[in-house]
Amino acid sequence: MPDPELPDPEPESASEVPGPGPNPDPRPAPYNGPAASPGPEPRVPSPGPGSATPALADSTIAVSGATGFLASYLLLHLLPQGTRVVALVRKPPHRAMASLALALRSAGAPAETVQRVAHQVQAVQITLDRPRLGLSEGEFQAVADSVDAVLHCAALTKLHGDAGELHRTNVEGTRQILALAAAGRRAPQLFHVSTAFVAGARLDGVVPERQLEASGFLTPYEESKHRAERLVHDWARTQGRCATVFRPSVLLSDRTALPRAPQHTYAVLAAKLALFLRHGPRALLDASSAPLDATGRLTIRLLGAPDASINLLQVDAAARAMLRLAEQATTTDTSDVPPGARVHHIVHPTETPVTRVNEALQRSVPWLRLALVPERPCPSGLERAVDLYGAEATAYLGLRRRYERTSLCELERRRLVGPPAPVDNPYLDAALTPPLMAR
């Protein structure tokens, strides 16, 4: 069964963001430095001990994927500190600015933070995988020379997407971002968002915070991200530069996203499940060989280990930890540090049992029973469809591994961040509530 057609997450008009109206010219606007303020700029709070990112307060940061889920939470903390942002985006600048304002509101940003978009963000339309990001030589150099840091968040996250498309976006796109960081006259700090799933086919044990050798992969997505991360390590060594690699696990939020705003992975999964199962169990019986049980529930067998677990982390906790680590990389004297990339796992200290996630899904669909089984002879058409349709979850039902989190433990020990709250049943129930558009 094909994926449902979910609405375009980017709005078609710029009416949602303060500032200039739409630009009718479809070509990328030339980069002229940070946007001029159309009016009085909101007051920037003085950085203090409780500030999330005091070292980044006076910086200009280029952010790829700025309108995405994770980036919106990073900007929620950066903008109030006065950080200027060069948003590297796919869509025309006026649409990207509207999308960014919407993403911030969906992340819970107060009105004052959303208003900062017009004063502190300059959107630059790029093509991620093209030489010089699709910009002219002059535009590319102007962007590179204007920034103190480059934060690469953009990625194609289709787990079983086309291998060529994943390579172009995730690998070649990273190559072009590295070229931007290399060209900047300020030698900008490089922060690359990888994924904990570059660990690939390692099913057990503890994944270390270091460069990983390829040992097989469960999805084309994680293979492309592994190649991209390898580029970062090689770039840092050959350029004689330091770089920071963040490897987040599955990030989620208990906030229901606003319509057309970016969604976290499990919200997308919940939306798909709601659309897939909205007609009730009897409408699906023709596709399944399993009858309803005595309580009227339909069983779907999922291939996996009964004791499998998945690392789930609240996105706001991830954003705070990443910015604290970025602050340390910015303020640390690297004159005696050998060049290379430092890896940080952005993960929860406790793995979440897959059975707990399945139970949360079953609470949202009471007539559904999900059973983890090590073998599944003669899968029904319905079960095969769920494997494909719910790949965000079904690809990782055999994992028992954990992740080294030395970096985060040190932040917690120094009370620079607090330990993340438990991912308990109430949180999962809220995180797996289908978006309004799927109900």
Side-chain angles (χ1 to χ4, degrees):
M1 181 178 293
D3 284 358
E5 289 296 325
L6 299 179
D8 184 345
E10 296 199 359
E12 295 293 331
S13 74
S15 60
E16 296 160 301
V17 63
N23 178 1
D25 188 346
R27 298 171 299 175
Y31 181 75
N32 296 311
S37 299
E41 185 170 349
R43 182 181 66 84
V44 178
S46 299
S51 172
T53 53
L56 304 175
D58 295 324
S59 300
T60 298
I61 302 180
V63 182
S64 70
T67 60
F69 176 66
L70 170 60
S72 64
Y73 280 84
L74 291 166
L75 294 181
L76 184 151
H77 295 292
L78 285 169
L79 291 178
Q81 295 296 326
T83 306
R84 297 172 296 279
V85 174
V86 179
L88 306 176
V89 293
R90 293 182 300 111
K91 297 291 180 72
H94 69 277
R95 291 182 60 192
M97 296 284 274
S99 293
L100 180 52
L102 174 62
L104 285 169
R105 288 202 303 274
S106 188
E112 180 184 357
T113 299
V114 178
Q115 290 166 4
R116 290 178 177 277
V117 171
H119 301 278
Q120 294 171 225
V121 179
Q122 172 81 20
V124 178
Q125 187 177 9
I126 64 164
T127 304
L128 187 61
D129 62 340
R130 290 185 59 190
R132 297 192 304 269
L133 301 172
L135 303 172
S136 70
E137 186 174 345
E139 291 168 340
F140 182 80
Q141 193 63 51
V143 172
D145 288 343
S146 73
V147 299
D148 304 292
V150 177
L151 174 57
H152 182 34
C153 296
L156 180 63
T157 58
K158 295 179 181 178
L159 296 189
H160 292 288
D162 176 76
E165 187 180 7
L166 286 163
H167 180 84
R168 286 191 298 273
T169 300
N170 295 346
V171 182
E172 294 305 320
T174 297
R175 195 186 307 277
Q176 300 310 317
I177 292 294
L178 294 174
L180 180 75
R185 60 181 172 83
R186 305 182 194 179
Q189 290 275 342
L190 175 68
F191 303 103
H192 172 73
V193 179
S194 183
T195 171
F197 294 91
V198 295
R202 297 174 183 226
L203 301 182
D204 307 283
V206 179
V207 181
E209 285 182 310
R210 58 172 171 78
Q211 186 174 3
L212 298 174
E213 298 299 324
S215 57
F217 300 97
L218 300 176
T219 70
Y221 161 73
E222 62 194 31
E223 182 174 7
S224 71
K225 292 294 287 184
H226 186 279
R227 290 177 179 173
E229 186 181 314
R230 190 169 60 195
L231 283 181
V232 175
H233 287 275
D234 293 344
W235 176 88
R237 284 192 293 265
T238 58
Q239 293 284 325
R241 300 272 291 273
C242 293
T244 301
V245 173
F246 299 121
R247 287 187 190 151
S249 59
V250 178
L251 303 182
L252 68 171
S253 171
D254 59 352
R255 296 181 60 86
T256 300
L258 295 176
R260 306 173 74 88
Q263 313 271 342
H264 62 85
T265 298
Y266 273 29
V268 173
L269 176 64
K272 286 183 175 183
L273 186 67
L275 292 172
F276 187 63
L277 303 175
R278 70 187 342 169
H279 298 298
R282 297 194 178 279
L284 299 174
L285 284 178
D286 290 341
S288 176
S289 59
L292 301 182
D293 66 18
T295 64
R297 295 193 303 173
L298 177 66
T299 297
I300 296 177
R301 297 169 299 168
L302 301 175
L303 271 176
D307 59 345
S309 60
I310 190 79
N311 195 283
L312 306 178
L313 178 65
Q314 299 90 340
V315 64
D316 195 59
R320 290 176 184 274
M322 289 169 64
L323 292 175
R324 276 299 188 190
L325 292 166
E327 175 192 353
Q328 290 186 348
T330 302
T331 57
T332 300
D333 181 5
T334 59
S335 57
D336 295 328
V337 178
R342 176 82 182 273
V343 176
H344 306 285
H345 280 146
I346 309 300
V347 296
H348 201 282
T350 304
E351 307 297 312
T352 298
V354 169
T355 52
R356 185 182 301 167
V357 178
N358 287 349
E359 288 165 1
L361 288 169
Q362 290 168 176
R363 283 193 294 273
S364 67
V365 186
W367 52 263
L368 176 66
R369 178 176 177 267
L370 299 173
L372 278 177
V373 295
E375 296 180 352
R376 189 181 58 187
C378 303
S380 68
L382 176 61
E383 289 169 337
R384 288 194 298 268
V386 169
D387 288 344
L388 178 64
Y389 202 63
E392 295 90 351
T394 59
Y396 298 112
L397 298 182
L399 300 183
R400 303 181 187 89
R401 68 192 184 208
R402 296 176 291 115
Y403 303 88
E404 179 189 357
R405 60 189 306 273
T406 301
S407 304
L408 296 194
C409 286
E410 179 62 13
L411 290 182
E412 292 164 8
R413 185 189 69 80
R414 297 170 59 193
R415 299 187 179 180
L416 295 174
V417 298
V423 181
D424 54 16
N425 286 342
Y427 190 92
L428 279 174
D429 288 343
L432 288 166
T433 300
L436 292 173
M437 62 186 180
R439 296 180 203 171

